[in-house]
Amino acid sequence: MTIRAGIVGYGNLGRSVEKLVKLQPDMELVGIFSRRTGLDTDTPVLPAERAAEHAGEIDVLFLCLGSATDIPEQAAGYARHFTTVDTYDNHQLIPRHRAEMDAAAREGGHVAMISTGWDPGLFSVNRVLGAALFPQPQQNTFWGKGLSQGHSDAVRRVPGVRRGVQYTIPSEEAIAEARAGRGAEITGASAHVRECYVVADEADHAAITEAITTMPDYFAPYETPVHFISEEEFERDHQGMPHGGHVVTSGDLGGSRSAVEFVLELESNPDFTAAAQVAYGRAAARLKAQGETGARTVLEVAPYLLSPTGLDELIRRDV
Amino acid sequence: MTIRAGIVGYGNLGRSVEKLVKLQPDMELVGIFSRRTGLDTDTPVLPAERAAEHAGEIDVLFLCLGSATDIPEQAAGYARHFTTVDTYDNHQLIPRHRAEMDAAAREGGHVAMISTGWDPGLFSVNRVLGAALFPQPQQNTFWGKGLSQGHSDAVRRVPGVRRGVQYTIPSEEAIAEARAGRGAEITGASAHVRECYVVADEADHAAITEAITTMPDYFAPYETPVHFISEEEFERDHQGMPHGGHVVTSGDLGGSRSAVEFVLELESNPDFTAAAQVAYGRAAARLKAQGETGARTVLEVAPYLLSPTGLDELIRRDV
């Protein structure tokens, strides 16, 4: 079956989904729904407010919308008319999002695949898989090396900062402790360094460093080196959106220890988030085709549903 | 629901499953079926030839039998009477095993979960998951550091060898190449060292080294260091069954590269194989309780089915 895909939203994530859908052997991209006109794309752009009119032409709709306000305000509306897949990432509110999407998707007879991407998403799968193997699992998640969008925004709000980025870097020693089963004492703050690169006038450097390193919640509990660099260095070295991380689970198995680790190294966070969203979009379209309805998390998806290759061939090749 | 478990076979794997089933919050161990009597265990031992009489008392039967002859000869017979889970690991013959187990399980109205463990098993899941993310995935599997049972047997068959073990060790450089997306040229032989530890009379050392390193298929294509050690060193340092490995998948995502890696470090191969088998046994019992029948591979199991924790709680805690 060819899966007819649509996209809502055309920021970094939407652009990544667009290029990856075009590379799938079993998908075709019908259009991008947007409230804006004049998007720089060859894909047909359709007005978002009239999306429902296209419900019959689309098997899965990729919701490439922000988690802060767009998903809470708009996602359920789309789920009434389409099988959807989102990357909603506000961990604490996922149960509420799930309930809302479940009700909307059931109302329309669709599937709503929620909170895909990598964390939540692939990391969630590996947390559950890892913990299921051990009677008393010790589990730690580490993030980075990666660009932290929210913390970079916080750096840029400091007076005098002309340009700024912040990278989260996990401590190698903390990861080694987790692998050895001694991760119980590790906290987010002890396991990560928050490294900042800032462009600013030299007269402001001391005040900026003080303002960043003492900022409550964001930086105060962390080791936070602040590096001042030139505009040219910023342009050359800090335009990417790398990210990654580790999920480490270890434990005793009745007399022996084992450790399970899942690692990501991503040159582009939006591209990889989109890659996971596209694979789970395939699964959503298949579940809907099988007659299922309602919200589904990544924990409820059998691995073969993510692949364009058929089950028999996967078993021959990969099992 | 409490899952009532049985075990067939009482070698290393059966003993590991026994101790791990006893540590599960939702399982109870009914008995071990064996052709032998006088097993050193507190668990009730029941005669294997009368297993079918106990079909009504057992929700999942762990087949802890060898893949060379026991599984092909006996597994389908059990699948007619029980929901089963095995660790059949002859990769090339898994499609045939699947067909036989599917027919037997459907005949009896049961589920047959096949080829669990870690390779096949968790590595299979990660090969499919990793490859599904990339339009053109580059994927490499590395094994070790680990004790290789078959190759250790080959070492011990060399004349003059009194005791011997062989460890497979993946090359760190090869793993780094795979992470960087340059894994296409890597072969099993170029990516692994086969390290041997041997106890023998000094007069035989040269001939033994020659016999091992030139053995076709087993050692000839590999870098094979042979270390001669004392009986005492062998007793002290080489009694364990460590193993592990890496599944590395990388690729381009329309202009950026990403790498996904799954890593295992196991002090005891049978204990960890059993841990995976027990988790997939839970899934098998649940699928059967849902009314499913037939053979299932690890690719067909949604992650939440492996965990003793309920789905709502997993979503709150791990997504």
Side-chain angles (χ1 to χ4, degrees):
Chain A
M1 112 191 199
T2 294
I3 297 169
R4 301 168 301 167
I7 294 172
V8 180
Y10 203 61
N12 285 327
L13 181 62
R15 285 193 292 273
S16 293
V17 168
E18 179 190 29
K19 67 184 177 183
L20 287 171
V21 164
K22 290 179 174 175
L23 293 171
Q24 303 303 311
D26 58 348
M27 291 190 186
E28 63 179 348
L29 184 56
V30 174
I32 297 166
F33 296 104
S34 178
R35 293 174 178 179
R36 294 183 286 154
T37 54
L39 299 187
D40 181 22
T41 176
D42 297 334
T43 307
V45 179
L46 307 164
E49 61 276 16
R50 299 179 59 182
E53 295 171 23
H54 299 272
E57 302 153 31
I58 287 174
D59 298 310
V60 63
L61 186 63
F62 292 96
L63 304 183
C64 301
L65 301 168
S67 291
T69 56
D70 289 351
I71 289 280
E73 288 173 6
Q74 301 174 34
Y78 287 109
R80 280 187 201 95
H81 300 286
F82 298 91
T83 281
T84 61
V85 52
D86 67 54
T87 61
Y88 183 71
D89 67 359
N90 190 331
H91 292 265
Q92 294 196 311
L93 299 181
I94 285 172
R96 191 176 81 185
H97 177 58
R98 180 184 174 219
E100 291 173 0
M101 293 299 276
D102 192 61
R106 285 183 196 281
E107 198 181 310
H110 302 293
V111 170
M113 187 71 65
I114 66 163
S115 299
T116 72
W118 60 273
D119 194 1
L122 300 179
F123 271 20
S124 318
V125 167
N126 278 276
R127 283 190 283 262
V128 168
L129 182 66
L133 299 168
F134 297 96
Q136 301 286 341
Q138 170 57 45
Q139 189 165 75
N140 296 83
T141 301
F142 301 92
W143 295 272
K145 178 187 174 176
L147 181 74
S148 296
Q149 207 61 65
H151 286 75
S152 295
D153 289 343
V155 166
R156 289 189 286 263
R157 284 194 296 267
V158 171
V161 171
R162 286 209 302 273
R163 306 186 69 172
V165 290
Q166 189 261 310
Y167 300 102
T168 302
I169 304 171
S171 144
E172 282 299 323
E173 302 85 67
I175 296 172
E177 287 292 293
R179 286 178 188 140
R182 295 186 295 267
E185 308 297 313
I186 296 173
T187 65
S190 70
H192 297 87
V193 174
R194 294 199 173 277
E195 196 149 37
C196 304
Y197 292 85
V198 171
V199 180
D201 289 339
E202 193 155 354
D204 298 330
H205 287 189
I208 288 170
T209 300
E210 174 72 11
I212 292 173
T213 57
T214 61
M215 199 184 295
D217 302 332
Y218 278 85
F219 296 108
Y222 292 85
E223 185 185 335
T224 308
V226 180
H227 308 282
F228 291 94
I229 59 176
S230 69
E231 188 81 33
E232 295 69 38
E233 290 170 305
F234 195 94
E235 277 291 332
R236 186 188 65 206
D237 301 333
H238 300 284
Q239 298 307 304
M241 285 179 279
H243 222 307
H246 302 244
V247 177
V248 182
T249 315
S250 68
D252 177 78
L253 294 171
S256 69
R257 293 198 63 82
S258 289
V260 179
E261 185 169 349
F262 183 73
V263 188
L264 296 177
E265 281 182 43
L266 318 174
E267 270 186 10
S268 161
N269 189 356
D271 281 354
F272 190 79
T273 300
Q277 189 181 13
V278 167
Y280 280 99
R282 173 178 293 117
R286 289 176 174 176
L287 291 176
K288 155 82 182 190
Q290 291 171 13
E292 299 204 18
T293 59
R296 294 289 183 281
T297 64
V298 295
L299 304 183
E300 295 157 83
V301 176
Y304 82 98
L305 290 169
L306 303 172
S307 171
T309 306
L311 178 60
D312 289 353
E313 175 63 16
L314 288 175
I315 291 172
R316 259 193 301 276
R317 194 183 72 187
D318 291 327
V319 175
Chain B
M1 115 186 198
T2 295
I3 298 169
R4 299 168 301 166
I7 294 172
V8 180
Y10 203 61
N12 286 327
L13 181 62
R15 285 194 293 272
S16 292
V17 167
E18 178 189 28
K19 67 184 177 183
L20 288 171
V21 164
K22 289 179 175 176
L23 293 171
Q24 303 303 312
D26 57 348
M27 291 190 186
E28 63 178 348
L29 184 57
V30 174
I32 297 165
F33 295 103
S34 177
R35 292 173 178 179
R36 293 184 287 154
T37 53
L39 299 187
D40 181 22
T41 175
D42 297 334
T43 307
V45 179
L46 306 164
E49 62 275 16
R50 300 179 60 182
E53 296 172 22
H54 299 272
E57 303 152 31
I58 288 173
D59 299 310
V60 63
L61 185 63
F62 292 95
L63 304 183
C64 300
L65 301 167
S67 290
T69 55
D70 288 350
I71 289 279
E73 288 174 6
Q74 302 174 35
Y78 286 109
R80 280 187 201 95
H81 300 287
F82 298 91
T83 281
T84 61
V85 52
D86 68 52
T87 61
Y88 183 70
D89 67 358
N90 189 331
H91 291 265
Q92 295 196 308
L93 298 181
I94 285 172
R96 190 176 81 185
H97 177 58
R98 179 185 175 219
E100 291 174 359
M101 293 299 275
D102 192 59
R106 285 183 196 280
E107 198 181 310
H110 301 293
V111 170
M113 187 71 64
I114 66 163
S115 299
T116 71
W118 59 274
D119 195 1
L122 300 179
F123 272 21
S124 318
V125 167
N126 278 277
R127 282 190 284 262
V128 168
L129 182 67
L133 299 168
F134 297 95
Q136 301 286 342
Q138 170 57 44
Q139 190 166 75
N140 296 83
T141 301
F142 301 92
W143 295 271
K145 179 185 175 175
L147 181 74
S148 297
Q149 206 63 64
H151 286 74
S152 294
D153 289 344
V155 166
R156 288 189 286 262
R157 283 194 297 266
V158 170
V161 171
R162 288 210 302 273
R163 307 187 68 172
V165 291
Q166 189 262 308
Y167 300 102
T168 302
I169 304 171
S171 145
E172 282 299 324
E173 301 84 68
I175 295 173
E177 287 292 294
R179 286 179 189 141
R182 295 186 295 267
E185 308 297 313
I186 296 173
T187 65
S190 71
H192 296 88
V193 174
R194 294 199 172 277
E195 195 149 38
C196 303
Y197 291 86
V198 171
V199 179
D201 289 340
E202 194 156 353
D204 298 329
H205 286 191
I208 289 170
T209 299
E210 174 72 10
I212 292 174
T213 57
T214 61
M215 199 183 295
D217 302 331
Y218 278 85
F219 296 108
Y222 292 86
E223 186 186 335
T224 306
V226 180
H227 307 283
F228 291 95
I229 59 175
S230 70
E231 188 81 33
E232 294 70 38
E233 288 170 307
F234 195 95
E235 277 290 334
R236 187 189 64 206
D237 300 333
H238 299 284
Q239 299 307 303
M241 286 179 279
H243 221 307
H246 302 244
V247 177
V248 182
T249 315
S250 67
D252 177 77
L253 294 171
S256 68
R257 294 198 62 82
S258 289
V260 179
E261 185 169 348
F262 183 73
V263 188
L264 296 178
E265 281 183 42
L266 318 175
E267 270 186 11
S268 162
N269 189 356
D271 282 354
F272 190 78
T273 301
Q277 188 180 14
V278 167
Y280 280 98
R282 174 178 293 118
R286 290 177 174 175
L287 292 175
K288 155 82 182 189
Q290 291 170 14
E292 300 204 17
T293 59
R296 293 290 183 281
T297 64
V298 295
L299 304 183
E300 295 157 83
V301 175
Y304 82 97
L305 290 169
L306 303 172
S307 171
T309 306
L311 178 60
D312 289 352
E313 175 63 16
L314 288 175
I315 291 171
R316 259 194 300 277
R317 193 183 71 187
D318 292 326
V319 175

